[in-house]
Amino acid sequence: MAKIIVKTEGLGIQALELRMGVNRIGRDPECEFQIEHSTISSLHCEIALSNDGVYLRDCESTNGTFLNGDAVQDAWLQPGQDFRLGDVEFFVENTDALIAIPEMKPVDVAPPKAIEINGELYCGEHPDSKVTFKCTHCSMVMCNACVHIMKRKGGEALYLCRLCSHKCERIEVLEPEKKKGIFGSLQETVRLKIKQAFERPAPRR
């Protein structure tokens, strides 16, 4: 089981036992691991656990994310490494994924419904953005801003559902054909008649 030790004392939490998928760390109570500290942002970072290992991604935090003393935006974590969120220090004890497959529980919160406008689907969370991804497990649809992106070893990106952390597939967004106005239709009709007049053979004398 992947496990991260909290080295900084007095926070009321001593270890982070990661679950498969995305684990959010921050001061916000909705994060999987809430850490109350002045240098920790509301959503400071995400740590994703998969069969490939443990992947750390900074979420535009105020005080930064550091791995072995260097500021990073994203990185793969290895056992024995130290990293820091703001002034809070951590130690990577284990990066092994849980081998046993847990029983999947139904999603308690109904995903926000997509909004249909003129035959096109828009994200329920971001009504100005078109739907671009669909979860293969809970069937939730979402835009680019909602999906969690995790870089896999080898460079291929893995897209995860923000609701259940399962894999998402990209939905092809087709641009609607522009409707022709009355003036455009009239121009096309005139061009067609002119073309037919020039192509019509001359009458025999």
Side-chain angles (χ1 to χ4, degrees):
M1 179 78 177
K3 188 175 182 180
I4 293 173
I5 304 300
V6 182
K7 296 174 65 177
T8 302
E9 298 180 354
L11 298 178
I13 182 171
Q14 297 178 339
L16 313 180
E17 295 188 357
L18 304 180
R19 63 175 178 80
M20 290 294 288
V22 177
N23 301 264
R24 297 169 297 174
I25 300 177
R27 295 198 322 271
D28 195 313
E30 293 188 1
C31 291
E32 280 71 25
F33 297 105
Q34 183 186 12
I35 297 180
E36 288 288 352
H37 193 275
S38 60
T39 63
I40 298 288
S41 298
S42 296
L43 175 56
H44 198 104
C45 72
E46 292 179 342
I47 299 181
L49 174 63
S50 70
N51 292 330
D52 291 328
V54 176
Y55 180 73
L56 169 69
R57 183 174 76 90
D58 182 83
C59 296
E60 299 182 358
S61 62
T62 301
N63 296 301
T65 298
F66 302 84
L67 179 61
N68 294 330
D70 298 323
V72 295
Q73 290 298 319
D74 52 67
W76 288 94
L77 298 180
Q78 304 297 333
Q81 286 183 320
D82 290 307
F83 70 94
R84 176 166 55 86
L85 306 181
D87 292 337
V88 181
E89 297 182 350
F90 301 84
F91 172 75
V92 183
E93 182 178 274
N94 195 335
T95 59
D96 294 335
L98 186 64
I99 298 176
I101 300 176
E103 181 182 355
M104 297 306 300
K105 297 181 180 179
V107 179
D108 295 330
V109 181
K113 294 182 179 179
I115 304 169
E116 184 174 352
I117 303 176
N118 296 328
E120 295 181 288
L121 289 179
Y122 288 79
C123 178
E125 290 288 338
H126 304 92
D128 294 333
S129 301
K130 292 182 180 178
V131 165
T132 51
F133 288 92
K134 181 178 181 180
C135 177
T136 57
H137 178 70
C138 69
S139 298
M140 176 182 175
V141 292
M142 66 204 81
C143 66
N144 291 341
C146 288
V147 71
H148 290 292
I149 304 175
M150 185 178 75
K151 294 180 182 178
R152 303 188 68 178
K153 292 181 179 178
E156 182 183 356
L158 182 64
Y159 302 97
L160 302 176
C161 176
R162 69 173 182 80
L163 193 66
C164 67
S165 298
H166 282 74
K167 182 180 178 181
C168 290
E169 292 181 344
R170 187 180 293 276
I171 299 174
E172 183 178 0
V173 179
L174 299 176
E175 293 295 332
E177 296 183 0
K178 294 183 179 180
K179 294 183 179 180
K180 298 178 181 178
I182 297 177
F183 184 71
S185 300
L186 181 60
Q187 282 185 322
E188 186 173 339
T189 303
V190 172
R191 284 197 296 267
L192 180 60
K193 288 185 177 181
I194 293 174
K195 181 179 179 182
Q196 290 175 345
F198 278 101
E199 291 178 352
R200 188 179 302 154
R204 296 181 180 178
R205 296 184 178 178

